[in-house]
Amino acid sequence: LLERLVRARGLSGDERREQVRAWLDDATRHAPGGRDEADLLALFSRDPTRLEDGGPRHAALRRLLGRAAGRRPVVILVDDATLDGDAVSFLDSLVRSTDAPLPVLAVVTSTDDALAAHPVEADVLRRIAEGPAGEHIGLGPLDAAEVEALATGPLGLAPALARDVAERSQGHPLFVVQLVGDWVSKGALE
């Protein structure tokens, strides 16, 4: 997330430091503050001794999101959220913060099975969704016509094959994409 935000993916230490400074300078329209630069570099370092406590790390992330959101609204995607307790904890701290609200939209996904297997994270996500800043949108399976439209449209399958995919996938869109991807990787499709 951070590497993409500041466009520092794949850069070496010195290159990353310069990119962080440039991003902070551009994001704030003035010289970057030493604290924000140090925090961002510590977040990138993945050094367990730097900003290891969730509170300071989450505060640093919030400040950096605030800088990014000062330019335009920010969208955060947390896929399979229950598998990342720290991300869930950060979202909780973001929602509970008494600071001024940020123009941030967090899109959080999880399966019912994953929620059942991770009750602590599930409780936090439920509390966020039920709060004034949250909303839960439950998604059920696609019907056969929707799967066929997905399979024939973006995936380019023939209608007969799309009907087979609809039957096999039982309406699960990710399974549709994975099934067709498996067939492509095995050379089963022309």
Side-chain angles (χ1 to χ4, degrees):
L1 169 71
L2 291 175
E3 289 176 337
R4 185 178 300 159
L5 178 67
V6 302
R7 297 179 179 91
R9 181 174 288 164
L11 298 179
S12 70
D14 288 339
E15 293 171 323
R16 180 176 285 162
R17 185 172 288 108
E18 289 306 312
Q19 180 60 28
V20 164
R21 286 183 182 137
W23 182 84
L24 285 169
D25 189 39
D26 185 51
T28 59
R29 305 284 187 229
H30 59 74
R35 180 178 181 190
D36 288 337
E37 183 178 328
D39 284 350
L40 186 51
L41 291 170
L43 291 166
F44 274 128
S45 74
R46 294 178 171 80
D47 176 353
T49 62
R50 311 250 344 243
L51 292 176
E52 66 184 30
D53 182 49
R57 185 175 57 252
H58 294 167
L61 282 169
R62 183 175 168 73
R63 282 195 307 278
L64 296 168
L65 276 177
R67 286 182 182 264
R71 297 176 60 195
R72 63 179 175 257
V74 174
V75 177
I76 301 171
L77 171 62
V78 184
D79 195 22
D80 293 327
T82 55
L83 302 180
D84 188 347
D86 189 50
V88 171
S89 178
F90 172 67
L91 291 172
D92 190 38
S93 72
L94 197 59
V95 169
R96 289 175 176 244
S97 175
T98 57
D99 296 339
L102 297 176
V104 173
L105 170 67
V107 178
V108 181
T109 69
S110 186
T111 64
D112 291 337
D113 291 342
L115 290 169
H118 297 73
V120 173
E121 289 81 2
D123 286 344
V124 173
L125 292 173
R126 213 170 280 111
R127 186 177 65 246
I128 292 170
E130 291 170 355
E135 181 176 350
H136 173 262
I137 301 173
L139 300 177
L142 301 175
D143 65 32
E146 291 168 325
V147 172
E148 289 177 29
L150 172 62
T152 57
L155 299 178
L157 297 182
L161 195 52
R163 283 189 292 280
D164 185 40
V165 168
E167 185 179 315
R168 289 181 186 213
S169 69
Q170 297 182 346
H172 193 291
L174 179 59
F175 185 68
V176 170
V177 173
Q178 290 173 334
L179 180 62
V180 173
D182 183 55
W183 289 347
V184 168
S185 71
K186 291 179 179 175
L189 297 177
E190 295 179 16

